[in-house]
Amino acid sequence: MEPGSVLVVGSLNMDLVVAVERHPKPGETVIGGDLQRFPGGKGANQAVAAARLGARVRMVGRVGADAYGAELKRGLEAEGIETTEVAEVEAPTGVALISVSAGGQNAIVVSPGANARLRPEDLNPEPFAEAGVVVLQLETPLETVRRAAELGRAAGARVLLNAAPAQALPDDLLAVTDVLVVNEFEAARVAGADEPEGPDAALALARELARRVPVVVVTLGGRGLVWAGAGGEGVRPAFAVEPVDTTAAGDAFVGGLAAALAAGEPLERALDYGSAAGALAATRPGAQPSLPAADEVAALLGGRAG
Ligand code: ADP
């Protein structure tokens, strides 16, 4: 695959994780294990996913003038990601406070911090002109996401919106989106419908959403994905793997899809490329550490012809 150019506009978070026997009740204190620190945020995860798969990636985002911000920026740079548009603002770096119980359940408090300060007027149009694909999620203000989509559309880039975390979307954002990627839960929120049960219902929902966006992809975890759009529709099975931790499988999928589309791959091949990246991420623990390299994806894809 020729390297394509991907611009990611989105969130950078530091994930702070503590293992607990059980989650505290309101007003209660529990003692946990040692604090662990992991770089995260959907925007940054998707940027790293695309970069590991060979794309030239530039990130637009905001961090605080603090140690976490500096660490997150350095981490992206170590992946070869261009960070001149990741500026510091007067707010703390975004943080996710995560406690994990012995039963494996997460309780999470997100403090968006600097991510919430990325305003539409802060977006520099220049990097959009160079991008083949612009990748967006919903962890920065919605007005900013819309402005980024408009800038991408005006520059002739393909605008890929991953509508996560789930929320309803205004028509004027969907009008400047080329590819919408949602899981079943997010698809239901965007469509204002019930969560689809099974691939047939997911495909029906994708068709409905495809009246508002050229291409709609609904991911179904270990059951693969369905897509619908002007160019047709289809069902793609997942790659058979032994899942260990599906954290960031969705981000790996989006990064892989973006890298493949930016490289000029046709849609169905790009969907398989993203699926292979998602499947590999599901076989390993963690978010960014689990994101696969291009040769691993190529090896998994090699087993599926066409
Ligand atoms: P999200 O994390 O956003 O809910 P999904 O869980 O649907 O996203 O995962 C995105 C894609 O990653 C899926 O469409 C699939 O291709 C791949 N994937 C996720 N989980 C698995 C799994 N257990 N086995 C194989 N592929 C998987």
Side-chain angles (χ1 to χ4, degrees):
M1 225 166 59
E2 289 293 308
S5 172
V6 173
L7 181 70
V8 179
V9 181
S11 57
L12 300 93
N13 284 335
M14 188 60 86
D15 293 350
L16 302 177
V17 182
V18 179
V20 292
E21 195 49 42
R22 59 177 181 78
H23 296 297
K25 298 190 188 77
E28 192 190 11
T29 300
V30 301
I31 305 298
D34 287 348
L35 180 73
Q36 292 183 288
R37 204 168 67 233
F38 301 102
K42 287 182 196 295
N45 289 349
Q46 293 175 9
V48 170
R52 287 211 186 138
L53 297 172
R56 287 189 307 275
V57 181
R58 196 157 177 178
M59 173 116 202
V60 180
R62 292 294 179 267
V63 292
D66 50 33
Y68 292 154
E71 192 176 334
L72 291 174
K73 243 179 117 161
R74 271 201 310 274
L76 293 184
E77 285 157 9
E79 300 283 348
I81 296 168
E82 169 65 63
T83 62
T84 46
E85 298 289 332
V86 180
E88 287 178 1
V89 291
E90 275 185 47
T93 295
V95 163
L97 302 172
I98 305 173
S99 53
V100 186
S101 71
Q105 252 195 344
N106 290 348
I108 305 178
V109 177
V110 172
S111 168
N115 296 302
R117 271 61 169 195
L118 181 64
R119 307 299 312 162
E121 57 273 20
D122 298 331
L123 295 174
N124 172 9
E126 187 251 321
F128 290 83
E130 298 158 15
V133 176
V134 173
V135 179
L136 308 167
Q137 323 76 27
L138 303 177
E139 287 186 335
T140 49
L142 199 57
E143 314 85 79
T144 307
V145 175
R146 181 172 49 221
R147 177 77 185 131
E150 286 166 359
L151 287 168
R153 172 62 64 87
R158 206 135 172 207
V159 176
L160 194 168
L161 171 62
N162 175 215
Q167 70 176 74
L169 295 179
D171 279 328
D172 57 0
L173 173 54
L174 291 177
V176 282
T177 298
D178 296 300
V179 182
L180 176 69
V181 177
V182 281
N183 65 20
E184 292 155 289
F185 180 66
E186 292 148 6
R189 283 300 297 274
V190 175
D194 289 336
E195 203 174 329
E197 287 192 19
D200 291 346
L203 184 57
L205 199 52
R207 270 187 214 126
E208 189 185 315
L209 287 168
R211 288 195 243 133
R212 300 161 74 193
V213 187
V215 175
V216 176
V217 181
V218 182
T219 64
L220 309 172
R223 286 178 303 164
L225 61 85
V226 297
W227 69 276
E233 61 179 47
V235 178
R236 307 298 283 177
F239 289 86
V241 293
E242 288 290 330
V244 170
D245 171 8
T246 59
T247 307
D251 291 335
F253 174 81
V254 170
L257 175 62
L261 289 176
E265 294 289 325
L267 179 66
E268 284 212 316
R269 283 178 58 90
L271 290 172
D272 280 355
Y273 197 86
S275 294
L280 287 163
T283 64
R284 298 191 282 238
Q288 289 182 16
S290 77
L291 298 170
D295 55 347
E296 298 174 288
V297 171
L300 189 57
L301 276 171
R304 184 190 282 183

